[in-house]
């Protein structure tokens, strides 16, 4: 570590080019991740899959994604963003190609494994590029901006992808997405660089002190992982990401379209519009929450994270208890409330960045990012399992009452996560010297 004058107070054009290409690749990654969101019923019919099997597509994908977050973080700390992103794009392209030609559920599950593995590399790599190319003070806003732009991938998955499928066929649709993955692997390799040219290694710059620190991975990766988890700020980040986005992920990734069409009786076009509202509201909230997170760093959890959890819980409880199909205005309220989860989840990465030194930046990010996808795969699986246990596991047997009980399976996840957020927030404030030590009971 050396005290070096800050080379510039604002990022140059190269930083924006690198970020632009990287975030465009992230948009494609979101499209890949969400590619079954609007065509889940088509997938169920193609593979003759019941609800538990259909949910297994998403569960396998998310399990691989979440399980690779820490290894990906370690690899990013060691090799930087560029090569890891290229490998990720190639894996997603291969996964979608396999999905395009898959004749059976078993082969399709292999495709989702490849897709999850490739997707796992992209978002942490983009966050690392933000840390190495942009001043630290811009971190919260740039993180939210990255999430905002990335959400357009869900819009692509909801409408254009479904339109392409219904106007052509399964092989052409998923083969086209595979081709885009290959194209972006080439673009990332050509245009993205790990760090600015005036530096010989990835660094982060403290804009207040001017200290430049080189980012390198610990030789013993287990030490880095244990050190990251040992800090209550990392655990606060993990549980914040665990609790805020999973309901929106489960809704958009798989179960929203069947619930809105087979459960609530909406047409596919109307259901896609409702789901699009979720994405658009999430995009609108991203810069707002990013700015607030930067301005109230010691009150993020109480003022932003916990309220986002509370409104999601309240909205779903209202829809579950509503007698008969919910009116359209209530469904809009539901997706608007769920939309708060995505931007709120980005606050978790502010915690991870704030409470970890640069040499384990991506490792801590990986730990954090695994939380939301662990919760999402649990929610998706239990929603599908609950439908099957009620005898409502196929498109022909879906019912509103069955969906109500299935979505109630999310409630324990919110309660569990919120309790840990409160606990780890207190521990973090004690660690920072903002609150007194807890008195031990005698």
């Amino acid at each position: 570590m050396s005290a070096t004058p800050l080379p510039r107070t604002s990022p140059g054009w190269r930083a924006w080019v690198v970020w632009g290409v990287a975030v465009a690749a992230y948009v494609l990654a979101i499209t890949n991740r969400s590619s079954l969101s609007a065509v889940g019923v088509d997938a169920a019919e193609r593979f003759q899959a019941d609800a538990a099997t259909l949910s297994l597509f998403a569960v396998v994908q998310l399990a691989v994604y979440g399980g690779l977050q820490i290894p990906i973080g370690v690899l990013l700390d060691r090799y930087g963003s560029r090569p890891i992103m290229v490998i990720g794009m190639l894996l997603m392209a291969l996964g979608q190609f396999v999905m395009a030609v898959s004749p059976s559920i078993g082969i399709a599950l292999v495709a989702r494994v490849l897709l999850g593995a490739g997707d796992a590399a992209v978002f942490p790599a983009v966050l690392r590029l933000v840390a190495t190319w942009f001043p630290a003070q811009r971190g919260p806003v740039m993180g939210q901006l990255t999430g905002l732009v990335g959400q357009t991938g869900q819009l692509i998955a909801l409408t254009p992808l479904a339109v392409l499928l219904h106007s052509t066929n399964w092989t052409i649709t998923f083969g086209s997405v595979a081709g885009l993955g290959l194209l972006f692997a080439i673009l990332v390799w050509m245009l993205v660089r790990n760090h600015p040219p005036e530096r010989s290694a990835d660094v982060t710059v403290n804009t207040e002190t001017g200290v430049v620190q080189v980012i390198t991975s610990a030789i013993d990766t287990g030490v880095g992982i244990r050190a990251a988890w040992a800090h209550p700020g990392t655990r606060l980040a993990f549980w914040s990401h665990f609790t805020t986005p999973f309901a929106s992920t489960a809704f958009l990734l798989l179960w929203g379209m069947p619930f809105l069409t087979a459960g609530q009786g909406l047409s596919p076009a109307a259901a896609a519009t409702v789901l699009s509202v979720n994405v658009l509201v999430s995009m609108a909230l991203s810069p707002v929450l990013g700015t607030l997170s930067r301005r109230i760093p010691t009150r993020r959890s109480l003022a932003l994270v916990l309220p986002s959890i509370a409104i999601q819980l309240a909205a779903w409880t209202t829809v579950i208890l509503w007698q008969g199909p919910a009116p359209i205005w209530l469904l809009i309220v539901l997706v608007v409330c769920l939309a708060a989860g995505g931007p709120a989840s980005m606050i978790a990465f502010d915690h991870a960045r704030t409470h970890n030194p640069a040499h384990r930046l991506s490792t801590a990010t990986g730990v954090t990012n695994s939380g939301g996808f662990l919760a999402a795969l649990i929610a998706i699986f239990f929603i599908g399992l609950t439908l099957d246990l009620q005898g409502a596991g196929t498109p022909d047997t879906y019912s509103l009452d069955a969906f109500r009980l299935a979505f109630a399976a999310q409630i324990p996840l919110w309660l569990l996560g919120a309790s840990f957020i409160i606990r780890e927030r207190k521990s973090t404030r004690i660690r920072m010297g903002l609150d007194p030590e807890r008195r031990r009971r005698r």
Side-chain angles (χ1 to χ4, degrees), residues 25-36:
Y26 178 48
V27 170
L28 181 58
I30 294 288
T31 302
N32 278 280
R33 182 191 306 167
S34 308
S35 55
L36 290 184

Side-chain angles (χ1 to χ4, degrees), residues 60-394:
V60 166
Q61 177 184 336
L62 292 178
V64 173
Y65 182 107
L68 285 179
Q69 283 305 294
I70 294 175
I72 289 292
V74 172
L75 290 172
L76 284 169
D77 280 336
R78 187 163 294 177
Y79 300 111
S81 295
R82 182 189 181 209
I84 304 303
M85 282 191 73
V86 169
I87 293 172
M89 300 309 295
L90 291 174
L91 284 173
M92 282 190 289
L94 179 59
Q96 292 292 36
F97 175 76
V98 173
M99 195 72 177
V101 299
S102 172
S104 65
I105 289 175
I107 302 299
L109 287 175
V110 172
R112 303 311 282 185
V113 168
L114 292 169
L115 200 63
D119 186 16
V122 178
F123 181 62
V126 180
L127 287 185
R128 184 182 182 87
L129 290 171
V130 168
T132 54
W133 280 88
F134 290 83
Q137 63 187 11
R138 294 198 178 196
V141 174
M142 288 302 300
Q144 289 286 356
L145 183 60
T146 298
L148 184 157
V149 178
Q151 294 309 308
T152 58
Q154 292 183 335
L155 293 176
I156 295 171
L158 283 172
T159 304
L161 200 66
V163 170
L164 180 61
L165 175 62
H166 296 146
S167 61
T168 58
N169 59 48
W170 185 274
T171 301
I172 290 175
T173 299
F174 286 91
S176 299
V177 179
L180 285 175
L182 182 60
L183 172 63
F184 270 90
I186 296 171
L187 288 175
V188 169
W189 183 258
M190 291 176 60
L191 298 176
V192 170
R193 294 296 181 268
N194 288 344
H195 48 76
E198 65 270 17
R199 300 172 191 161
S200 59
D202 286 9
V203 299
T204 54
V205 183
N206 186 317
T207 55
E208 295 179 356
T209 64
V211 170
V212 177
Q213 183 168 353
V214 175
I215 303 176
T216 55
S217 175
I219 295 175
D220 182 356
T221 55
V223 171
I225 295 169
R226 288 194 298 271
W229 185 254
H231 197 295
T234 304
R235 299 196 298 271
L236 175 60
F238 173 89
W239 288 109
S240 297
H241 201 262
F242 180 95
T243 318
T244 47
F246 75 81
S248 183
T249 301
F251 202 71
L252 287 174
L253 198 62
L254 190 62
W255 290 119
M257 184 65 74
F259 170 72
L260 293 173
T261 53
Q264 294 290 339
L266 300 184
S267 68
T273 301
V274 171
L275 293 176
S276 297
V277 170
N278 175 283
V279 179
L280 293 172
V281 172
S282 180
M283 294 171 66
L285 288 175
S286 290
V288 176
L289 266 66
T291 300
L292 291 174
S293 177
R294 178 173 59 86
R295 291 182 177 178
I296 53 172
T298 61
R299 301 192 300 277
R300 294 166 177 161
S301 297
L302 286 183
L304 302 174
V305 175
L306 290 173
S308 80
I309 297 167
I311 64 172
Q312 292 181 71
L313 175 58
W316 255 126
T317 301
T318 303
V319 171
I320 289 170
L321 295 178
W322 194 273
Q323 295 300 311
I328 190 67
W329 65 264
L330 181 55
L331 296 175
I332 295 295
V333 169
L334 172 66
V335 296
V336 167
C337 291
L338 293 180
S345 73
M346 297 298 294
I347 295 171
F349 298 105
D350 295 338
H351 289 310
R353 183 172 51 249
T354 299
H355 299 294
N356 284 275
H359 66 271
R360 60 171 187 256
L361 173 67
S362 293
T363 301
T365 298
V367 171
T368 300
N369 205 22
S370 65
F373 291 91
L374 173 63
L377 73 87
I378 293 172
I380 288 171
F381 178 73
F382 276 103
I383 289 169
L385 180 62
T386 306
L387 287 171
D388 275 349
L389 291 175
Q390 298 175 88
T394 64

